Amino acid sequence: MRENILAIIPARGGSKRIKGKNYKRFKGVPAILSTIKKLKKSNIFKKILVSSDDPKIIKIAMKAGAEIPFKRAENLSGDYISEVAVIRDCISYLNRRKYKFNYVCCIYPVNPFLKVADLKKGLIK
């Protein structure tokens, strides 16, 4: 971990097409859990934050060692809310608490083919 890099995972609970997709099991493991484990294993991120409105997602993420600094507001949990708005909300929260960071990386929770090697290749040197 060279710099203060944050991973933010936007994981709302209200998927219309695939109910519960963020905690659906892939190879026996909830999707978001697998993603968090890979982020931790990469040793790139100072913090792994999850923005969610769903108690089940929050519980899984916390058990996996991610931070959930707040429950996502209802006005940021709709079908047509952009990830940019969610990431901006997390950054605003951290800025209000005077937390300093250099980079933010948005990682989607359902990412079964994510590889630690690919995360490391994407790291700015």
Side-chain angles (χ1 to χ4, degrees):
M1 197 173 347
R2 293 181 214 136
E3 300 189 52
N4 195 352
I5 304 171
L6 306 179
I8 298 177
I9 302 173
R12 79 181 183 99
S15 175
K16 299 288 186 245
R17 291 177 293 181
I18 303 172
K19 299 285 185 205
K21 74 176 176 187
N22 292 319
Y23 49 81
K24 285 258 188 235
R25 294 184 174 271
F26 184 80
K27 293 188 174 183
V29 179
I32 193 167
L33 176 61
S34 175
T35 298
I36 293 168
K37 283 182 176 182
K38 290 173 188 175
L39 295 177
K40 289 179 79 171
K41 187 175 180 181
S42 75
N43 204 29
I44 293 171
F45 304 99
K46 178 89 170 189
K47 287 185 180 285
I48 300 168
L49 305 174
V50 174
S51 173
S52 186
D53 58 343
D54 185 285
K56 189 168 184 175
I57 293 169
I58 291 169
K59 183 178 178 182
I60 292 168
M62 287 176 70
K63 270 189 165 178
E67 294 182 39
I68 298 81
F70 57 89
K71 187 175 178 184
R72 189 190 302 184
E74 194 174 313
N75 67 323
L76 290 173
S77 296
D79 292 342
Y80 303 105
I81 301 301
S82 73
E83 286 84 6
V84 172
V86 172
I87 300 302
R88 191 176 290 141
D89 183 55
C90 288
I91 291 171
S92 293
Y93 176 89
L94 295 169
N95 284 335
R96 287 191 305 273
R97 279 146 188 81
K98 309 289 188 228
Y99 183 80
K100 302 292 182 203
F101 51 90
N102 300 96
Y103 300 99
V104 173
C105 184
C106 175
I107 305 285
Y108 294 105
V110 181
N111 210 337
F113 303 111
L114 178 67
K115 295 181 183 165
V116 172
D118 290 337
L119 287 167
K120 290 182 177 188
K121 282 181 193 175
L123 181 64
I124 299 170
K125 297 182 181 185

